[in-house]
Amino acid sequence: MNRILAPIDFSDITDAVIERAAALANAFGGRIWLMHVVPPDPEFVGYEAGPQSVRDAQAERYREEHRQLQERAEQLTASGVSCESLLVRGVVVDEVLDHATRLNIDTIVLGSHGHGALYQLLLGSSTEAILRQSPCPVCIIPATRPQS
């Protein structure tokens, strides 16, 4: 459990994923690859990229996400955890599984958004797909729902 891949998406569960990955890294003297996947290029998937203003806005969003990713990795490193950040473009499931294999990852730590049964039925789940196809154990951090 020395090589840990932690895909994050900057949602509410991101902090919990990073905390669990850090706890595992600390417990086993491990290294974390903190990963964020951005959507594939629209032209690659057969769609027009849109006007330049849309492309510029998208590029700015990706720069901001990259900055946030690097900031999180630097915070981990400052706390004594060996960490590297990866910003990749592609389909989330494909990229997580590909990087898990290429980096010889021992454990994947990822969050579950806790979508309902209808969502799962219609769209499926990235978490479920990664769990089914992963070359290594997967630690799933469940979404926390606010109590009413």
Side-chain angles (χ1 to χ4, degrees):
M1 201 175 303
N2 294 333
R3 301 169 71 84
I4 302 162
L5 181 63
I8 61 171
D9 62 2
F10 304 110
S11 66
D12 292 343
I13 200 153
T14 292
D15 289 338
V17 169
I18 292 173
E19 288 169 13
R20 180 65 55 89
L24 290 171
N26 283 328
F28 298 101
R31 176 181 183 93
I32 298 172
W33 280 264
L34 200 57
M35 174 186 219
H36 179 61
V37 181
V38 298
D41 187 22
E43 293 173 354
F44 175 75
V45 293
Y47 295 103
E48 293 296 320
Q52 188 62 42
S53 61
V54 171
R55 294 168 62 171
D56 291 346
Q58 185 178 43
E60 181 57 36
R61 189 179 98 226
Y62 294 162
R63 278 192 292 278
E64 176 58 21
E65 289 174 351
H66 187 241
R67 185 196 62 73
Q68 290 178 35
L69 180 68
Q70 288 179 313
E71 185 177 284
R72 297 290 183 105
E74 289 167 2
Q75 290 169 349
L76 285 168
T77 301
S79 73
V81 176
S82 177
C83 183
E84 186 173 328
S85 63
L86 300 168
L87 180 75
V88 296
R89 182 181 293 258
V91 177
V92 173
V93 172
D94 296 343
E95 292 302 328
V96 169
L97 294 172
D98 180 58
H99 280 77
T101 300
R102 288 192 307 148
L103 296 170
N104 197 27
I105 294 297
D106 297 308
T107 304
I108 300 171
V109 178
L110 74 148
S112 171
H113 291 289
H115 294 294
L118 182 60
Y119 181 94
Q120 298 290 343
L121 177 66
L122 296 175
L123 299 175
S125 160
S126 295
T127 303
E128 183 181 307
I130 291 168
L131 184 61
R132 276 196 322 265
Q133 300 174 53
S134 177
C136 60
V138 178
C139 176
I140 300 173
I141 310 301
T144 56
R145 295 186 186 266
Q147 295 181 351
S148 45

